[in-house]
Amino acid sequence: FDPGYEPDWAVITVTTYVPPTPAGQWAFSLPLSELHSIRRTRFSLGRNFLVLTSRGGHPLPPLHFHRGGTRELLGALQVGFIHDPYATTFGGFSKVTNFFRAAIRPPDAPFNARSAQNLPFQPDDEPGFELITCGVALGPKPEVTRGTPLDKWEEFLDAEGRVKNPDRVRELVFRGGIKPSQRKEVWKFLLGFYPWSSTAQERQDIIRVKTDEYFRMKVQWKSVSEEQEMRNSLLRGYRNLIERDVNRTDRHNTFFSGNDNPGLTLLHDVLMTYCMYNFDLGYVQGMSDLLAPILFVTQNEVESFWCLTGFMELLHQNFEESQEAMKQQLNQLSILLKALDPELFDFLDSQDSGSLCFCFRWLLIWFKREFSFEDILILWEALWTRLPCENFHLLIACSILESQRGELIGSDHDFNTILKHINELTMKLDLLEIIQRAEGIYLQMIQCKELPQTVQQVLGLYVSSSSEDDSPDNSETQRLLLSQSQAGATAAPVPTYP
């Protein structure tokens, strides 16, 4: 059968079948010599099972570990079957997964991803018997440092006001963020309100045209009478949602605090106008979280609206009713985490958390509620640059999960306690550490020559032509990126991402 993904590991043999010995209604026994395969799969409701199959191809009753137990089973195999697991097992297997290696080696034994290749054995000693590999060794994670915030914006403009080197600006912003006094102007470029190639005069023209367009849309909803709105349930629903969310969005921030605050009025009006701009999507809970920082930085109703539309070009699919984009991102996050830390993913999977649905809020509004207001400005600036890859927000999520692996693995967690732990991380995460680790994960993955194609696709590295994958230009770009990131962000030149 096809479980829909590669199993953690499977032991395969081809000898004669001997029926298992029944030992009760739910119990069974099977000599290990008659074991054909052990495969992990997931049935409905996200439940995880181990399915043992005998040599004759007959599956035994599926084993569901309600509170973990996969490693306990492997531990029993180690005690009762394998006296020297690291040598004896490898002596008969031609391929070994990272998952199984970690499960069977003694706790104090050092692990070398290449050691299995150096053991003195011949594959023909036990013909027809191998352990299928599903993982790769990523290698060490490079150390990464951050730079200083972008300052002196005027130095990046030519005589007519054009940005002289947009790529360098993006790289500097990704590396160190933007000085607060410069954000109002630079954000309009990052969010597409101003084209990078525009002159100062052209930007004045854009402001004039976009201001007129904004107020035409605003008049549309403000001119709707109460009687008309009573017959327009969709508009009425949008307004009710917006009013409710505005009253609880960032009220701790002085720009939105207190009653009858002008900031709240602007937040409400911009969101209502966005409903007229994109009526099919309208307003969905969470959009107020995206607008509030933009409005705080721009301090301008029109500019905040058009910056929001630019932001929504990146995230609008997150808010669609089908939630297909969110499902895809959670799947992509699973792919990355399985490649990065299969042990952590396997633990989460054993606790019915392999879908990573507890990360839903992170991805929906780009970690808005996980970090402080000031930190989220810095994080979004890094994400808006689209460096080092368009899915860098998924690497941020991987970074957070990896930072919590010690708190998760080995503790008495189930789905509810994992969700509670994740929710309690709010405002407790070190943003600098998280961003640095996320970039280190990216560099760690791109230097792996055996990186699975699915991971390459998530990172935007996959190229259909094998000749392009091995091209000198591509490998040189990655080498330069790696060496310069390790050397530090303040060193010149700034890393150029592919």
Side-chain angles (χ1 to χ4, degrees), residues 44-326:
S44 61
L45 303 179
R47 297 293 184 179
N48 300 301
F49 293 83
L50 286 182
V51 178
L52 281 67
T53 303
S54 62
R55 289 184 176 181
H58 301 282
L60 299 171
L63 305 176
H64 172 52
F65 296 90
H66 294 270
R67 296 185 175 274
T70 303
R71 283 178 176 74
E72 287 77 0
L73 175 60
L74 294 177
L77 291 176
Q78 174 182 333
V79 173
F81 176 54
I82 305 171
H83 299 292
D84 184 2
Y86 196 64
T88 305
T89 303
F90 289 170
F93 296 164
S94 61
K95 299 178 183 178
V96 185
T97 66
N98 295 334
F99 174 86
F100 194 54
R101 291 175 192 160
I104 65 175
R105 77 177 185 277
D108 57 347
F111 174 64
N112 183 343
R114 298 185 178 274
S115 58
Q117 301 176 9
N118 301 325
L119 290 172
F121 72 87
Q122 299 295 326
D124 292 334
D125 291 345
E126 296 179 281
F129 195 84
E130 72 173 5
L131 189 65
I132 297 176
T133 179
C134 301
V136 295
L138 293 179
K141 185 184 289 89
E143 293 293 331
V144 176
T145 58
R146 293 281 287 167
T148 56
L150 182 144
D151 195 6
K152 300 180 180 178
W153 174 242
E154 64 279 359
E155 294 182 2
F156 293 90
L157 306 178
D158 64 16
E160 293 185 323
R162 295 186 185 88
V163 180
K164 291 183 287 189
N165 192 337
D167 289 341
R168 179 168 176 78
V169 170
R170 281 191 288 261
E171 290 163 357
L172 290 172
V173 171
F174 172 76
R175 184 66 52 198
I178 305 170
K179 190 173 180 180
S181 61
Q182 311 293 306
R183 279 180 174 144
K184 177 179 171 65
E185 193 67 16
V186 182
W187 277 28
K188 287 181 278 189
F189 288 90
L190 292 173
L191 291 170
F193 181 42
Y194 290 157
W196 291 97
S197 59
S198 61
T199 65
Q201 180 59 52
E202 288 170 342
R203 292 195 287 274
Q204 291 181 13
D205 296 338
I206 289 172
I207 284 285
R208 185 179 65 256
V209 171
K210 291 297 186 181
T211 299
D212 291 343
E213 186 176 351
Y214 173 79
F215 283 107
R216 281 198 303 271
M217 290 185 290
K218 184 175 181 179
V219 166
Q220 291 176 0
W221 66 265
K222 286 189 74 70
S223 61
V224 174
S225 66
E226 292 185 9
E227 184 179 358
Q228 286 177 304
E229 189 168 315
M230 287 299 296
R231 294 192 295 270
N232 190 331
S233 60
L234 198 56
L235 180 61
R236 188 170 65 252
Y238 290 157
R239 186 192 294 273
N240 290 338
L241 282 173
I242 289 171
E243 290 176 351
R244 184 183 64 184
D245 284 359
V246 162
N247 287 327
R248 59 188 184 186
T249 299
D250 292 320
R251 298 305 299 273
H252 61 280
N253 188 299
T254 55
F255 191 79
F256 303 106
S257 62
N259 297 323
D260 301 322
N261 190 307
L264 296 180
T265 301
L266 290 176
L267 195 62
H268 171 275
D269 289 359
V270 171
L271 291 172
M272 283 296 299
T273 306
Y274 184 81
C275 290
M276 306 308 298
Y277 174 81
N278 189 350
F279 203 83
D280 285 343
L281 181 61
Y283 178 80
V284 181
Q285 187 178 14
M287 290 182 182
S288 61
D289 285 285
L290 303 183
L291 174 60
I294 295 174
L295 189 56
F296 172 80
V297 168
T298 61
Q299 307 274 310
N300 182 281
E301 181 177 1
V302 174
E303 293 177 359
S304 67
F305 172 82
W306 291 111
C307 286
L308 174 66
T309 64
F311 199 0
M312 289 299 295
E313 284 296 312
L314 301 176
L315 297 186
H316 71 93
Q317 291 181 329
N318 286 7
F319 298 94
E320 292 177 352
E321 188 175 359
S322 68
Q323 295 189 344
E324 287 302 319
M326 292 301 300

Side-chain angles (χ1 to χ4, degrees), residues 25-46:
Q25 181 180 5
W26 300 110
F28 63 86
S29 64
L30 177 72
L32 290 174
S33 60
E34 305 307 324
L35 183 64
H36 172 68
S37 69
I38 300 178
R39 186 181 297 264
R40 186 184 67 178
T41 187
R42 175 179 294 167
F43 295 146
S44 61
L45 303 179

Side-chain angles (χ1 to χ4, degrees), residues 284-438:
V284 181
Q285 187 178 14
M287 290 182 182
S288 61
D289 285 285
L290 303 183
L291 174 60
I294 295 174
L295 189 56
F296 172 80
V297 168
T298 61
Q299 307 274 310
N300 182 281
E301 181 177 1
V302 174
E303 293 177 359
S304 67
F305 172 82
W306 291 111
C307 286
L308 174 66
T309 64
F311 199 0
M312 289 299 295
E313 284 296 312
L314 301 176
L315 297 186
H316 71 93
Q317 291 181 329
N318 286 7
F319 298 94
E320 292 177 352
E321 188 175 359
S322 68
Q323 295 189 344
E324 287 302 319
M326 292 301 300
K327 294 174 186 175
Q328 180 185 18
Q329 290 177 77
L330 289 171
N331 180 59
Q332 290 174 326
L333 179 58
S334 297
I335 291 171
L336 292 178
L337 186 61
K338 278 188 278 190
L340 173 68
D341 195 333
E343 184 182 9
L344 174 58
F345 180 83
D346 183 69
F347 171 79
L348 294 174
D349 210 20
S350 72
Q351 304 304 316
D352 296 328
S353 300
S355 65
L356 305 182
C357 60
F358 52 81
C359 300
F360 187 92
R361 187 177 72 185
W362 295 359
L363 307 183
L364 178 71
I365 53 176
W366 272 15
F367 312 95
K368 167 61 166 56
R369 300 184 188 177
E370 319 312 318
F371 295 95
S372 69
F373 198 88
E374 179 57 35
D375 277 353
I376 208 64
L377 306 183
I378 298 171
L379 176 58
W380 282 1
E381 286 166 353
L383 297 177
W384 287 337
T385 64
R386 315 304 281 161
L387 296 174
C389 66
E390 291 190 356
N391 282 326
F392 191 66
H393 66 294
L394 299 180
L395 294 170
I396 293 291
C398 282
S399 175
I400 297 175
L401 291 173
E402 191 180 48
S403 73
Q404 299 301 308
R405 77 184 316 274
E407 300 293 329
L408 295 172
I409 293 182
S411 55
D412 186 20
H413 282 307
D414 56 18
F415 174 81
N416 290 329
T417 54
I418 289 173
L419 179 61
K420 182 175 182 290
H421 177 81
I422 294 298
N423 288 339
E424 290 177 349
L425 295 176
T426 300
M427 305 301 164
K428 297 178 182 178
L429 297 167
D430 185 328
L431 178 66
L432 178 63
E433 176 187 342
I434 294 299
I435 295 180
Q436 289 180 178
R437 182 187 287 111

